[in-house]
Amino acid sequence: RKDPDVVLMDIQMPVMDGFEALRRIRDPRSAVRNHQIPVIAMTAHAMPGDRESCLTAGMNDYIIKPVLPRTLADVLDKWLPRKADGDQHTG
């Protein structure tokens, strides 16, 4: 199995919201193998302070839904690891 390179985290999920899922990912006692994996919040919340709340909680970045393809591409380009040749992503 291959571990993911990045997590796109919906903040409003049933059963467990994105903030609780993030806490479990970051918890060193959890079974997650990479606790520092980049987590990108994806949310319809676009009120002042929402971005800061996500970043303060430990998300690495924040995208507002509906997601614009160019915005998603830019954020993924920022967080996905590069191949050795430097011009393509590994995932």
Side-chain angles (χ1 to χ4, degrees):
R1 290 191 305 166
K2 184 177 178 192
D3 291 337
D5 293 320
V6 66
V7 174
L8 299 175
M9 181 71 72
D10 191 339
I11 297 300
Q12 297 175 303
M13 298 183 294
V15 182
M16 180 188 311
D17 70 21
F19 292 108
E20 178 59 27
L22 176 70
R23 281 189 285 278
R24 292 184 186 195
I25 289 169
R26 298 291 191 234
D27 184 347
R29 298 168 295 175
S30 74
V32 173
R33 291 190 291 216
N34 179 4
H35 301 286
Q36 299 308 313
I37 188 167
V39 178
I40 312 305
M42 297 182 73
T43 179
H45 292 267
M47 300 298 292
D50 288 335
R51 176 179 171 74
E52 291 74 21
S53 295
C54 289
L55 297 177
T56 299
M59 303 283 180
N60 296 90
D61 219 323
Y62 170 91
I63 299 175
I64 298 170
K65 296 189 293 185
V67 177
L68 300 173
R70 182 75 250 159
T71 302
L72 179 58
D74 289 346
V75 169
L76 290 176
D77 189 51
K78 178 178 173 183
W79 292 103
L80 284 174
R82 298 274 179 187
K83 283 187 175 181
D85 64 9
D87 56 7
Q88 292 191 16
H89 296 293
T90 60

